[in-house]
Amino acid sequence: MDSDTHVSFHFPNPDTDTDDTCRVPSSSSSSSSSSSAVHQALQLIQSDDLDLKLQAAREIRRLTKTSQRCRRQLAGAIKPLVSMLRLDSLDCNEAALLALLNLAVKDEKNKINIMDAGGLQPIISFLQSRNLSLQEYATASLLTLSASTINKPLISASGAIPLLVEILRQGSPQAKVDSVMALYNLSTHTNNLSIILEAKPMPSIVSLLKSCKKSSKTAERCSALIESLVDFDEGRTALTSEEGGVLAVVEVLENGSPQSREHALGALLTMCQSDRCKYREPILREGVIPGLLELTVQGTPKSQIKARTLLQLLRDSPYPRSELQPDTIENIVCDIISQIDGEDQSGKAKKMLAEMVQVSMEQSLRHLQQRALVCTPTDLPIASCTSEVSSK
Protein backbone atom coordinates (compact mmCIF):
# COMPACT_ATOMS: atom_id res chain seq x y z
CA MET A 1 0.00 0.00 0.00
CA ASP A 2 1.44 3.36 -1.00
CA SER A 3 2.21 5.63 1.94
CA ASP A 4 1.76 9.38 2.20
CA THR A 5 4.05 9.67 5.20
CA HIS A 6 5.84 12.98 4.85
CA VAL A 7 5.09 15.71 7.33
CA SER A 8 7.96 18.09 6.70
CA PHE A 9 7.22 18.21 2.97
CA HIS A 10 3.88 18.48 1.22
CA PHE A 11 3.58 15.23 -0.73
CA PRO A 12 0.30 14.65 -2.57
CA ASN A 13 -1.06 11.12 -2.30
CA PRO A 14 -0.65 9.28 -5.61
CA ASP A 15 -3.56 7.02 -4.68
CA THR A 16 -5.90 10.00 -4.93
CA ASP A 17 -4.31 11.76 -7.89
CA THR A 18 -6.76 11.98 -10.75
CA ASP A 19 -4.87 14.43 -12.94
CA ASP A 20 -3.17 12.48 -15.70
CA THR A 21 -2.05 15.48 -17.73
CA CYS A 22 1.13 17.46 -17.18
CA ARG A 23 0.67 20.44 -14.88
CA VAL A 24 1.34 23.74 -16.61
CA PRO A 25 0.39 27.31 -15.73
CA SER A 26 -3.33 28.02 -16.03
CA SER A 27 -2.71 30.36 -18.96
CA SER A 28 -1.12 27.46 -20.91
CA SER A 29 -3.26 24.48 -19.98
CA SER A 30 -3.97 23.08 -23.44
CA SER A 31 -2.66 19.70 -24.59
CA SER A 32 -0.20 21.36 -27.00
CA SER A 33 1.19 23.50 -24.17
CA SER A 34 1.65 20.37 -22.04
CA SER A 35 3.61 18.66 -24.79
CA SER A 36 5.62 21.84 -25.33
CA ALA A 37 6.56 22.01 -21.63
CA VAL A 38 7.72 18.40 -21.65
CA HIS A 39 9.69 18.89 -24.89
CA GLN A 40 11.37 22.03 -23.57
CA ALA A 41 12.33 20.38 -20.29
CA LEU A 42 13.88 17.44 -22.14
CA GLN A 43 15.91 19.84 -24.30
CA LEU A 44 17.10 22.01 -21.41
CA ILE A 45 18.17 19.04 -19.23
CA GLN A 46 20.65 18.10 -22.00
CA SER A 47 22.21 21.57 -21.99
CA ASP A 48 25.83 22.19 -21.01
CA ASP A 49 24.73 25.32 -19.16
CA LEU A 50 24.33 24.43 -15.47
CA ASP A 51 21.77 27.17 -14.90
CA LEU A 52 19.60 25.78 -17.69
CA LYS A 53 20.00 22.20 -16.39
CA LEU A 54 18.98 23.38 -12.93
CA GLN A 55 15.93 25.16 -14.37
CA ALA A 56 15.00 21.99 -16.29
CA ALA A 57 15.35 19.74 -13.24
CA ARG A 58 13.04 21.98 -11.22
CA GLU A 59 10.53 22.02 -14.08
CA ILE A 60 10.63 18.23 -14.37
CA ARG A 61 10.00 17.96 -10.66
CA ARG A 62 6.97 20.25 -11.03
CA LEU A 63 5.59 18.49 -14.09
CA THR A 64 5.87 15.03 -12.53
CA LYS A 65 4.47 16.02 -9.16
CA THR A 66 0.99 14.64 -9.83
CA SER A 67 1.00 13.36 -13.39
CA GLN A 68 1.67 9.74 -14.25
CA ARG A 69 1.62 10.65 -17.94
CA CYS A 70 4.42 13.17 -17.47
CA ARG A 71 6.48 10.58 -15.61
CA ARG A 72 6.30 8.39 -18.70
CA GLN A 73 6.97 11.22 -21.14
CA LEU A 74 9.94 12.53 -19.15
CA ALA A 75 11.66 9.15 -18.65
CA GLY A 76 14.32 10.34 -21.11
CA ALA A 77 15.51 12.85 -18.50
CA ILE A 78 16.69 10.14 -16.10
CA LYS A 79 20.27 9.81 -17.38
CA PRO A 80 21.07 13.56 -17.40
CA LEU A 81 19.44 13.92 -13.99
CA VAL A 82 21.60 11.11 -12.60
CA SER A 83 24.64 12.89 -14.02
CA MET A 84 23.61 16.00 -12.06
CA LEU A 85 23.79 13.94 -8.84
CA ARG A 86 27.55 13.68 -9.37
CA LEU A 87 28.13 17.43 -9.75
CA ASP A 88 29.77 19.41 -6.96
CA SER A 89 26.71 21.60 -6.56
CA LEU A 90 24.21 21.33 -3.72
CA ASP A 91 21.50 23.07 -5.76
CA CYS A 92 21.98 20.67 -8.69
CA ASN A 93 22.09 17.66 -6.38
CA GLU A 94 18.86 18.59 -4.62
CA ALA A 95 16.97 19.56 -7.78
CA ALA A 96 18.01 16.37 -9.61
CA LEU A 97 17.25 14.15 -6.60
CA LEU A 98 13.76 15.60 -6.20
CA ALA A 99 13.05 15.29 -9.92
CA LEU A 100 14.16 11.64 -9.90
CA LEU A 101 12.07 10.99 -6.80
CA ASN A 102 8.94 12.25 -8.56
CA LEU A 103 9.78 10.33 -11.74
CA ALA A 104 10.04 7.09 -9.71
CA VAL A 105 6.76 7.39 -7.79
CA LYS A 106 4.19 4.85 -9.05
CA ASP A 107 6.39 4.03 -12.04
CA GLU A 108 8.15 0.67 -11.90
CA LYS A 109 10.02 1.21 -15.16
CA ASN A 110 11.46 4.54 -14.03
CA LYS A 111 12.56 2.98 -10.73
CA ILE A 112 14.55 0.37 -12.64
CA ASN A 113 15.90 2.91 -15.14
CA ILE A 114 17.25 5.11 -12.34
CA MET A 115 19.19 2.13 -11.02
CA ASP A 116 20.40 1.17 -14.51
CA ALA A 117 21.61 4.75 -15.08
CA GLY A 118 23.87 4.50 -12.03
CA GLY A 119 21.72 6.58 -9.67
CA LEU A 120 22.04 4.29 -6.66
CA GLN A 121 25.62 5.07 -5.60
CA PRO A 122 25.30 8.88 -5.51
CA ILE A 123 21.96 8.55 -3.68
CA ILE A 124 23.58 6.28 -1.09
CA SER A 125 26.46 8.73 -0.68
CA PHE A 126 23.93 11.45 0.19
CA LEU A 127 22.78 9.37 3.17
CA GLN A 128 26.06 10.41 4.77
CA SER A 129 25.74 14.07 3.80
CA ARG A 130 25.98 16.72 6.51
CA ASN A 131 23.19 18.55 4.72
CA LEU A 132 20.03 17.28 6.41
CA SER A 133 17.77 18.15 3.48
CA LEU A 134 19.92 16.16 1.07
CA GLN A 135 19.99 13.31 3.57
CA GLU A 136 16.18 13.37 3.82
CA TYR A 137 15.68 13.44 0.04
CA ALA A 138 18.11 10.54 -0.40
CA THR A 139 16.27 8.47 2.23
CA ALA A 140 12.94 9.22 0.56
CA SER A 141 14.42 8.22 -2.80
CA LEU A 142 15.65 4.89 -1.43
CA LEU A 143 12.21 4.27 0.05
CA THR A 144 10.64 4.74 -3.37
CA LEU A 145 13.28 2.72 -5.23
CA SER A 146 13.05 -0.12 -2.70
CA ALA A 147 9.36 -0.59 -3.55
CA SER A 148 10.56 -2.38 -6.69
CA THR A 149 11.15 -6.12 -6.28
CA ILE A 150 13.94 -5.99 -8.87
CA ASN A 151 15.75 -3.20 -7.01
CA LYS A 152 15.68 -4.76 -3.51
CA PRO A 153 18.68 -7.11 -3.87
CA LEU A 154 20.68 -4.40 -5.65
CA ILE A 155 20.04 -1.89 -2.88
CA SER A 156 20.98 -4.34 -0.12
CA ALA A 157 24.12 -5.46 -2.02
CA SER A 158 25.22 -1.82 -2.30
CA GLY A 159 25.68 -1.49 1.46
CA ALA A 160 22.65 0.77 1.95
CA ILE A 161 21.12 -1.16 4.86
CA PRO A 162 23.65 -0.17 7.59
CA LEU A 163 23.40 3.46 6.41
CA LEU A 164 19.59 3.34 6.60
CA VAL A 165 19.84 1.95 10.13
CA GLU A 166 22.19 4.82 11.00
CA ILE A 167 19.60 7.27 9.63
CA LEU A 168 17.00 5.49 11.76
CA ARG A 169 19.30 6.04 14.73
CA GLN A 170 20.36 9.65 14.21
CA GLY A 171 18.44 11.17 11.30
CA SER A 172 15.75 13.83 11.30
CA PRO A 173 12.23 12.76 12.35
CA GLN A 174 11.09 12.50 8.72
CA ALA A 175 14.23 10.66 7.63
CA LYS A 176 13.70 8.13 10.44
CA VAL A 177 10.17 7.42 9.22
CA ASP A 178 11.31 6.97 5.62
CA SER A 179 14.23 4.82 6.76
CA VAL A 180 12.05 2.34 8.64
CA MET A 181 9.70 2.19 5.63
CA ALA A 182 12.65 1.47 3.32
CA LEU A 183 14.00 -1.17 5.70
CA TYR A 184 10.58 -2.80 5.76
CA ASN A 185 10.54 -2.91 1.95
CA LEU A 186 14.02 -4.43 1.88
CA SER A 187 13.17 -6.94 4.63
CA THR A 188 10.72 -8.70 2.32
CA HIS A 189 13.58 -9.94 0.12
CA THR A 190 15.33 -13.20 1.01
CA ASN A 191 18.50 -12.87 3.12
CA ASN A 192 18.03 -9.14 3.78
CA LEU A 193 16.71 -9.77 7.31
CA SER A 194 20.06 -11.16 8.43
CA ILE A 195 21.80 -8.05 7.04
CA ILE A 196 19.32 -5.80 8.84
CA LEU A 197 19.86 -7.72 12.10
CA GLU A 198 23.63 -7.32 11.84
CA ALA A 199 23.16 -3.53 11.83
CA LYS A 200 21.40 -3.77 15.23
CA PRO A 201 18.28 -1.72 14.41
CA MET A 202 16.02 -2.88 17.26
CA PRO A 203 16.71 -0.02 19.73
CA SER A 204 15.93 2.56 17.05
CA ILE A 205 12.83 0.71 15.80
CA VAL A 206 11.50 0.49 19.36
CA SER A 207 12.29 4.16 19.96
CA LEU A 208 10.36 5.19 16.84
CA LEU A 209 7.49 2.86 17.74
CA LYS A 210 7.24 4.41 21.19
CA SER A 211 7.07 7.94 19.80
CA CYS A 212 4.65 7.45 16.89
CA LYS A 213 0.88 7.16 16.90
CA LYS A 214 0.06 3.49 17.35
CA SER A 215 -2.58 3.52 14.59
CA SER A 216 -0.19 5.11 12.05
CA LYS A 217 1.46 3.57 9.00
CA THR A 218 4.79 4.10 10.76
CA ALA A 219 3.67 1.89 13.66
CA GLU A 220 2.48 -0.71 11.16
CA ARG A 221 5.88 -0.87 9.46
CA CYS A 222 7.75 -0.89 12.78
CA SER A 223 5.64 -3.76 14.12
CA ALA A 224 5.97 -5.65 10.82
CA LEU A 225 9.76 -5.32 11.01
CA ILE A 226 9.77 -6.46 14.63
CA GLU A 227 7.61 -9.47 13.76
CA SER A 228 10.13 -10.49 11.08
CA LEU A 229 13.19 -9.86 13.25
CA VAL A 230 11.94 -11.91 16.23
CA ASP A 231 12.04 -14.98 13.99
CA PHE A 232 15.74 -14.89 14.92
CA ASP A 233 17.10 -15.46 18.41
CA GLU A 234 19.15 -12.23 18.12
CA GLY A 235 15.98 -10.31 17.33
CA ARG A 236 14.10 -11.72 20.31
CA THR A 237 17.00 -10.99 22.62
CA ALA A 238 17.31 -7.44 21.25
CA LEU A 239 13.60 -6.72 21.79
CA THR A 240 13.47 -7.98 25.37
CA SER A 241 16.77 -6.29 26.21
CA GLU A 242 15.43 -2.91 25.08
CA GLU A 243 13.67 -1.09 27.93
CA GLY A 244 9.97 -0.89 27.10
CA GLY A 245 10.42 -2.98 23.95
CA VAL A 246 7.80 -5.64 24.72
CA LEU A 247 5.50 -2.97 26.17
CA ALA A 248 5.65 -0.99 22.91
CA VAL A 249 4.54 -4.09 21.00
CA VAL A 250 1.72 -4.71 23.49
CA GLU A 251 0.55 -1.10 23.07
CA VAL A 252 0.31 -1.63 19.31
CA LEU A 253 -1.62 -4.83 19.94
CA GLU A 254 -4.10 -2.77 21.97
CA ASN A 255 -4.35 0.44 19.96
CA GLY A 256 -2.94 -0.17 16.49
CA SER A 257 -4.63 -0.56 13.13
CA PRO A 258 -5.95 -4.08 12.37
CA GLN A 259 -2.82 -4.83 10.35
CA SER A 260 -0.51 -3.43 13.05
CA ARG A 261 -2.27 -5.44 15.75
CA GLU A 262 -1.82 -8.58 13.66
CA HIS A 263 1.92 -7.91 13.32
CA ALA A 264 2.29 -7.19 17.05
CA LEU A 265 0.37 -10.34 17.94
CA GLY A 266 2.49 -12.34 15.51
CA ALA A 267 5.67 -11.05 17.14
CA LEU A 268 4.55 -12.01 20.66
CA LEU A 269 3.29 -15.40 19.51
CA THR A 270 6.57 -16.15 17.73
CA MET A 271 8.49 -15.30 20.90
CA CYS A 272 6.31 -17.48 23.11
CA GLN A 273 6.38 -20.38 20.67
CA SER A 274 10.17 -20.20 20.34
CA ASP A 275 10.80 -20.38 24.10
CA ARG A 276 7.71 -20.26 26.27
CA CYS A 277 9.59 -20.49 29.56
CA LYS A 278 11.81 -17.54 28.65
CA TYR A 279 9.24 -15.14 27.20
CA ARG A 280 5.97 -15.95 28.97
CA GLU A 281 6.67 -13.77 32.01
CA PRO A 282 8.01 -10.72 30.11
CA ILE A 283 4.90 -10.75 27.90
CA LEU A 284 2.45 -11.23 30.78
CA ARG A 285 4.18 -8.52 32.82
CA GLU A 286 3.25 -5.87 30.23
CA GLY A 287 -0.50 -6.44 30.61
CA VAL A 288 -1.20 -8.20 27.32
CA ILE A 289 -4.34 -10.07 28.44
CA PRO A 290 -7.02 -7.39 27.85
CA GLY A 291 -5.77 -6.75 24.33
CA LEU A 292 -5.68 -10.47 23.57
CA LEU A 293 -9.21 -10.91 24.88
CA GLU A 294 -10.47 -8.18 22.60
CA LEU A 295 -8.75 -9.74 19.60
CA THR A 296 -10.34 -13.14 20.26
CA VAL A 297 -13.70 -11.48 19.59
CA GLN A 298 -13.09 -8.41 17.44
CA GLY A 299 -9.83 -9.17 15.61
CA THR A 300 -9.42 -10.37 12.05
CA PRO A 301 -10.02 -14.11 11.59
CA LYS A 302 -6.26 -14.68 11.62
CA SER A 303 -5.84 -12.53 14.73
CA GLN A 304 -8.58 -14.39 16.57
CA ILE A 305 -6.81 -17.71 16.03
CA LYS A 306 -3.41 -16.32 17.00
CA ALA A 307 -4.81 -14.59 20.10
CA ARG A 308 -6.40 -17.83 21.33
CA THR A 309 -3.16 -19.71 20.69
CA LEU A 310 -1.12 -17.13 22.61
CA LEU A 311 -3.59 -17.15 25.50
CA GLN A 312 -3.21 -20.91 25.64
CA LEU A 313 0.58 -20.57 25.81
CA LEU A 314 0.44 -17.85 28.47
CA ARG A 315 -1.45 -19.97 31.00
CA ASP A 316 0.43 -21.93 33.63
CA SER A 317 0.03 -25.10 31.62
CA PRO A 318 -0.43 -24.36 27.89
CA TYR A 319 -2.36 -27.56 27.21
CA PRO A 320 -5.98 -28.62 27.98
CA ARG A 321 -6.39 -30.46 31.27
CA SER A 322 -8.46 -33.23 29.81
CA GLU A 323 -10.22 -34.22 26.63
CA LEU A 324 -13.35 -34.70 28.75
CA GLN A 325 -13.06 -31.12 30.01
CA PRO A 326 -11.82 -28.99 27.07
CA ASP A 327 -10.69 -25.51 27.93
CA THR A 328 -12.72 -22.48 26.92
CA ILE A 329 -11.22 -19.01 26.56
CA GLU A 330 -12.95 -18.14 29.85
CA ASN A 331 -11.19 -21.01 31.67
CA ILE A 332 -7.82 -20.16 30.16
CA VAL A 333 -8.12 -16.47 31.06
CA CYS A 334 -9.34 -17.15 34.61
CA ASP A 335 -6.33 -19.42 35.05
CA ILE A 336 -4.00 -16.64 33.85
CA ILE A 337 -5.72 -13.92 35.89
CA SER A 338 -5.24 -15.95 39.08
CA GLN A 339 -1.48 -15.72 38.51
CA ILE A 340 -1.30 -12.00 37.72
CA ASP A 341 0.02 -9.67 40.39
CA GLY A 342 -1.69 -6.34 40.77
CA GLU A 343 -5.36 -5.52 41.25
CA ASP A 344 -5.53 -3.05 38.35
CA GLN A 345 -4.46 -5.51 35.69
CA SER A 346 -6.47 -8.39 37.13
CA GLY A 347 -9.57 -6.22 37.46
CA LYS A 348 -9.22 -4.87 33.94
CA ALA A 349 -8.85 -8.39 32.56
CA LYS A 350 -11.92 -9.64 34.46
CA LYS A 351 -13.98 -6.71 33.17
CA MET A 352 -12.77 -7.36 29.65
CA LEU A 353 -13.66 -11.04 30.01
CA ALA A 354 -17.24 -10.14 30.94
CA GLU A 355 -17.46 -7.70 28.03
CA MET A 356 -16.00 -10.33 25.72
CA VAL A 357 -18.76 -12.78 26.59
CA GLN A 358 -21.40 -10.11 25.94
CA VAL A 359 -19.87 -9.06 22.61
CA SER A 360 -19.53 -12.69 21.59
CA MET A 361 -23.23 -13.29 22.26
CA GLU A 362 -24.19 -10.17 20.31
CA GLN A 363 -22.02 -11.16 17.38
CA SER A 364 -23.46 -14.67 17.35
CA LEU A 365 -26.97 -13.22 17.22
CA ARG A 366 -26.04 -10.89 14.35
CA HIS A 367 -24.43 -13.79 12.51
CA LEU A 368 -27.61 -15.83 12.80
CA GLN A 369 -29.67 -12.91 11.54
CA GLN A 370 -27.33 -12.41 8.57
CA ARG A 371 -27.52 -16.08 7.64
CA ALA A 372 -31.27 -15.78 7.51
CA LEU A 373 -31.00 -13.12 4.83
CA VAL A 374 -30.52 -13.95 1.19
CA CYS A 375 -27.67 -11.81 -0.09
CA THR A 376 -24.89 -11.88 -2.64
CA PRO A 377 -21.45 -10.99 -1.29
CA THR A 378 -19.58 -8.26 -3.11
CA ASP A 379 -16.06 -9.02 -4.29
CA LEU A 380 -13.62 -6.62 -2.68
CA PRO A 381 -10.35 -5.56 -4.34
CA ILE A 382 -7.14 -6.60 -2.66
CA ALA A 383 -4.83 -3.65 -2.08
CA SER A 384 -1.14 -3.79 -2.89
CA CYS A 385 1.13 -3.89 0.14
CA THR A 386 4.13 -2.15 -1.39
CA SER A 387 5.36 0.99 0.37
CA GLU A 388 6.81 3.97 -1.33
CA VAL A 389 7.01 7.65 -0.60
CA SER A 390 4.68 10.05 -2.38
CA SER A 391 5.90 12.60 -4.88
CA LYS A 392 7.13 15.98 -3.77
Side-chain angles (χ1 to χ4, degrees):
M1 188 176 295
D2 297 300
S3 306
D4 185 13
T5 57
H6 277 59
V7 292
S8 57
F9 318 139
H10 174 62
F11 280 15
N13 189 340
D15 285 339
T16 59
D17 286 342
T18 56
D19 178 14
D20 200 37
T21 59
C22 301
R23 299 271 185 181
V24 293
S26 57
S27 60
S28 309
S29 58
S30 68
S31 177
S32 60
S33 295
S34 299
S35 299
S36 175
V38 168
H39 181 70
Q40 184 179 26
L42 286 171
Q43 279 191 318
L44 291 180
I45 199 67
Q46 303 285 353
S47 171
D48 292 330
D49 187 315
L50 279 188
D51 288 337
L52 292 179
K53 290 176 81 74
L54 183 60
Q55 177 186 333
R58 288 169 176 167
E59 179 68 358
I60 291 167
R61 171 193 171 191
R62 185 183 69 82
L63 290 169
T64 55
K65 186 173 183 179
T66 59
S67 172
Q68 186 62 36
R69 181 179 298 175
C70 278
R71 291 172 194 142
R72 289 277 79 242
Q73 294 174 334
L74 286 162
I78 287 175
K79 285 187 178 180
L81 284 169
V82 167
S83 296
M84 289 178 69
L85 297 180
R86 301 190 181 96
L87 298 176
D88 187 19
S89 165
L90 179 60
D91 286 341
C92 284
N93 294 159
E94 287 192 356
L97 196 52
L98 289 168
L100 288 167
L101 174 59
N102 282 5
L103 280 165
V105 168
K106 292 288 193 177
D107 194 305
E108 179 75 7
K109 192 171 182 180
N110 281 351
K111 288 180 177 69
I112 296 169
N113 287 342
I114 290 170
M115 301 283 284
D116 289 343
L120 182 58
Q121 284 307 322
I123 290 173
I124 289 175
S125 72
F126 295 150
L127 292 179
Q128 299 171 290
S129 172
R130 293 183 179 181
N131 183 287
L132 291 182
S133 293
L134 199 58
Q135 194 180 90
E136 284 188 8
Y137 301 154
T139 308
S141 297
L142 278 180
L143 165 55
T144 299
L145 293 174
S146 67
S148 166
T149 302
I150 293 175
N151 289 345
K152 291 178 185 184
L154 301 175
I155 293 173
S156 58
S158 71
I161 287 176
L163 296 176
L164 285 170
V165 172
E166 187 61 27
I167 293 288
L168 183 57
R169 189 176 294 124
Q170 298 190 43
S172 67
Q174 186 57 57
K176 288 180 179 181
V177 169
D178 287 345
S179 175
V180 84
M181 296 278 189
L183 288 169
Y184 165 77
N185 283 349
L186 295 171
S187 74
T188 61
H189 186 268
T190 310
N191 299 329
N192 279 355
L193 275 172
S194 59
I195 301 174
I196 293 172
L197 264 176
E198 287 173 7
K200 304 188 183 306
M202 192 65 80
S204 303
I205 296 172
V206 169
S207 177
L208 182 58
L209 185 58
K210 286 179 180 179
S211 65
C212 71
K213 188 176 180 181
K214 299 302 179 285
S215 59
S216 66
K217 183 65 68 174
T218 302
E220 183 179 316
R221 294 309 186 221
C222 285
S223 55
L225 256 182
I226 289 173
E227 181 183 19
S228 296
L229 293 174
V230 296
D231 270 337
F232 301 81
D233 184 56
E234 306 98 295
R236 295 189 289 272
T237 300
L239 179 64
T240 51
S241 299
E242 191 64 26
E243 185 177 354
V246 175
L247 176 59
V249 176
V250 170
E251 288 176 344
V252 173
L253 183 143
E254 292 178 332
N255 302 309
S257 67
Q259 194 63 44
S260 297
R261 298 180 80 184
E262 199 167 293
H263 288 309
L265 176 57
L268 298 175
L269 181 58
T270 295
M271 293 170 67
C272 217
Q273 286 176 326
S274 69
D275 191 336
R276 178 179 171 274
C277 293
K278 183 175 183 179
Y279 296 113
R280 176 178 173 270
E281 285 301 325
I283 292 172
L284 273 176
R285 194 163 52 237
E286 302 302 352
V288 73
I289 300 303
L292 286 177
L293 283 172
E294 184 180 345
L295 284 174
T296 63
V297 177
Q298 296 179 324
T300 63
K302 188 183 293 186
S303 292
Q304 289 181 7
I305 294 171
K306 287 184 176 181
R308 288 172 181 270
T309 303
L310 184 53
L311 281 168
Q312 189 81 267
L313 288 167
L314 290 174
R315 64 177 298 173
D316 190 36
S317 170
Y319 307 106
R321 293 182 183 83
S322 159
E323 291 184 6
L324 298 176
Q325 188 183 10
D327 279 339
T328 63
I329 286 294
E330 289 85 351
N331 288 338
I332 294 170
V333 173
C334 287
D335 187 22
I336 298 172
I337 290 173
S338 67
Q339 305 164 49
I340 297 176
D341 294 328
E343 293 183 5
D344 289 345
Q345 190 184 151
S346 179
K348 185 177 180 182
K350 288 176 182 177
K351 181 181 177 183
M352 184 70 87
L353 179 57
E355 292 173 352
M356 181 195 76
V357 174
Q358 166 114 16
V359 170
S360 181
M361 291 175 64
E362 291 174 354
Q363 287 188 341
S364 296
L365 179 59
R366 283 198 298 271
H367 181 62
L368 289 172
Q369 290 171 338
Q370 289 171 353
R371 288 184 62 184
L373 299 173
V374 178
C375 61
T376 303
T378 302
D379 290 333
L380 296 176
I382 300 175
S384 165
C385 60
T386 301
S387 290
E388 65 174 270
V389 74
S390 302
S391 56
K392 182 184 183 307

